[in-house]
Amino acid sequence: MKIKSDFVTNSSSTSFILATSEEPTRDFLRDKFGIRDKFPLDFIFDNLISAIEREREEIHTYIEKHYSGMTVDEFLESKGFNKSTVDLILVKIKQGEKVFYGHLSSESGDSISESFFCCESFLVVNDDFYFNGEISGW
Amino acid sequence: MKVIELSGRYYGFVTSTFDLYSTCETFLRSSKVIQGSFSYNYLRKIFYGIFLNAEDLCGIYEEYYYDEYYDFYEFLYKKELLEKDDISIIRCELEKGLRLLRLYISDNSYNLETFMEYEEDFLEKFNAMIQNIEEVSL
C-alpha cells in the first residue's frame, strides 16, 4: 500500500463514447487498440479495457436510467460533446451500430491505468470502431 | 538502456549512440503494436514523455564542470545533490559504459509521472521493453 503524502487533488470522472459494428469484447477492443501480441506494458491497455467493460452501458439504457426524458443529442450536448460529435453518434445509431456511454474515474481503485486515461484526451476513429474520450483531460 | 528512480528523481542510462527518435521507433517495433493505432500512439507518448528534454549529465559535466569538480561522482554529489548510496548505484551502471541522463518527466507530462509514481510495476515492465533496444538499433 502507498500513502500519498503530498497535496491531494480532487477526484475526476470523465465520459467516453464507444461505437462499434459488433459486440465490443475484450479481444475486439485489443484488436482495435492495435495490440497483436503480449508485451510487458500491455497491462496499461488491458486495464483500460477492463474499465470500459465494467463501465459501458448502451446509451439509450444509460439515458433512460439516469436522464429519463432526454434525447441522445440533448444528453450528449449536456455532457459537453460538440455538435459534430453528436451528429456523428446520431448517424451511427441510425446505421445500427452499437453505441455505449460510460465513465472513467481517477479514483475507481481498480487500476492506476484508468486514472491515467481519465486525465488524457483521446479519439480513435476507424470504419467499424469509434472511441471518444476527448472531453477527458486536465 | 534503463530508467531508474532515485530520491524522487528519474534517471536514464543510455549508450553514447542514443537518439530519441530512432530509439523510440525501435521501442515501438518491439511492442509489435500496429503503427498508428491507439496503443502505438500512447506508447510513443509515454516514451517521449520519459525521454524528451533529458539532460546528458555526463556531457554537461565534461563541457562545463570538468575543471570545477574532482570527478563526475563529486559533481553528482555536490552539484546534482545526490546521496552517496544513489551515486554508488549510478557508478555501477556507468562502469558498463553507459551515459547518465537526467529525465524531466513531470515537465513533459504530469499525468505520466503520477502514473509512474503509483503504478509500481511500470518501471520494471518499461525497462523490460527497453533493456536491449540500443543493441537492436545499432
Side-chain angles (χ1 to χ4, degrees):
Chain A
M1 185 178 79
K2 278 201 165 189
I3 299 171
K4 192 163 187 170
S5 57
D6 56 358
F7 67 90
V8 178
T9 59
N10 288 333
S11 62
S12 178
S13 172
T14 50
S15 310
F16 66 82
I17 305 169
L18 178 67
T20 62
S21 59
E22 57 184 86
E23 190 64 24
T25 61
R26 175 166 286 271
D27 286 344
F28 177 85
L29 291 173
R30 275 181 70 92
D31 182 60
K32 294 303 166 190
F33 282 178
I35 300 168
R36 287 286 181 260
D37 285 314
K38 296 287 291 177
F39 60 95
L41 289 180
D42 65 358
F43 76 95
I44 296 172
F45 305 102
D46 278 336
N47 288 341
L48 173 61
I49 289 169
S50 295
I52 294 168
E53 285 184 319
R54 188 187 68 241
E55 294 297 326
R56 70 176 168 82
E57 198 158 11
E58 196 280 323
I59 193 163
H60 294 97
T61 307
Y62 184 92
I63 294 170
E64 186 56 36
K65 263 190 203 172
H66 304 284
Y67 298 87
S68 186
M70 269 188 167
T71 61
V72 171
D73 50 331
E74 286 170 346
F75 167 69
L76 289 178
E77 280 172 14
S78 76
K79 290 296 177 184
F81 290 98
N82 60 34
K83 189 172 184 315
S84 63
T85 299
V86 174
D87 289 345
L88 182 65
I89 295 304
L90 292 177
V91 169
K92 286 181 175 296
I93 290 171
K94 199 171 278 184
Q95 289 172 340
E97 289 194 26
K98 299 172 193 305
V99 178
F100 302 89
Y101 182 84
H103 294 99
L104 299 176
S105 169
S106 66
E107 294 194 353
S108 73
D110 287 327
S111 76
I112 309 295
S113 305
E114 182 179 346
S115 305
F116 174 72
F117 284 108
C118 175
C119 300
E120 292 285 306
S121 179
F122 50 82
L123 176 66
V124 184
V125 183
N126 294 325
D127 288 345
D128 58 351
F129 181 69
Y130 178 88
F131 183 37
N132 186 325
E134 273 191 310
I135 61 170
S136 301
W138 290 0
Chain B
M1 188 174 174
K2 185 178 182 180
V3 172
I4 64 170
E5 187 251 326
L6 295 172
S7 306
R9 298 185 207 159
Y10 289 93
Y11 295 89
F13 295 97
V14 300
T15 67
S16 57
T17 59
F18 175 78
D19 170 76
L20 179 62
Y21 176 78
S22 61
T23 308
C24 182
E25 291 305 305
T26 312
F27 167 74
L28 291 167
R29 277 198 301 277
S30 75
S31 73
K32 298 177 184 168
V33 298
I34 295 173
Q35 190 169 1
S37 66
F38 179 75
S39 54
Y40 180 96
N41 291 334
Y42 260 98
L43 288 176
R44 184 170 56 188
K45 190 170 182 177
I46 287 169
F47 194 91
Y48 274 84
I50 290 173
F51 287 106
L52 192 67
N53 299 319
E55 283 184 338
D56 179 353
L57 289 180
C58 302
I60 288 172
Y61 166 73
E62 287 158 12
E63 189 164 354
Y64 302 110
Y65 296 99
Y66 185 81
D67 292 334
E68 194 170 333
Y69 297 101
Y70 174 71
D71 62 14
F72 182 59
Y73 301 106
E74 188 184 82
F75 164 77
L76 292 180
Y77 184 67
K78 292 185 175 174
K79 179 70 178 169
E80 190 66 11
L81 303 178
L82 281 165
E83 299 293 338
K84 288 187 173 170
D85 287 348
D86 294 340
I87 293 171
S88 297
I89 293 168
I90 289 171
R91 185 190 289 266
C92 288
E93 296 298 328
L94 296 187
E95 283 173 357
K96 297 173 189 169
L98 299 173
R99 297 182 75 79
L100 179 65
L101 300 182
R102 170 83 192 272
L103 306 175
Y104 293 96
I105 300 167
S106 64
D107 291 353
N108 296 327
S109 170
Y110 173 75
N111 193 27
L112 176 60
E113 190 182 69
T114 303
F115 176 66
M116 290 172 65
E117 183 182 353
Y118 289 97
E119 181 55 73
E120 293 176 351
D121 293 337
F122 177 85
L123 264 189
E124 182 187 339
K125 293 185 174 181
F126 182 75
N127 283 328
M129 286 185 70
I130 64 172
Q131 62 184 350
N132 296 318
I133 273 185
E134 285 177 326
E135 285 81 343
V136 173
S137 64
L138 286 173

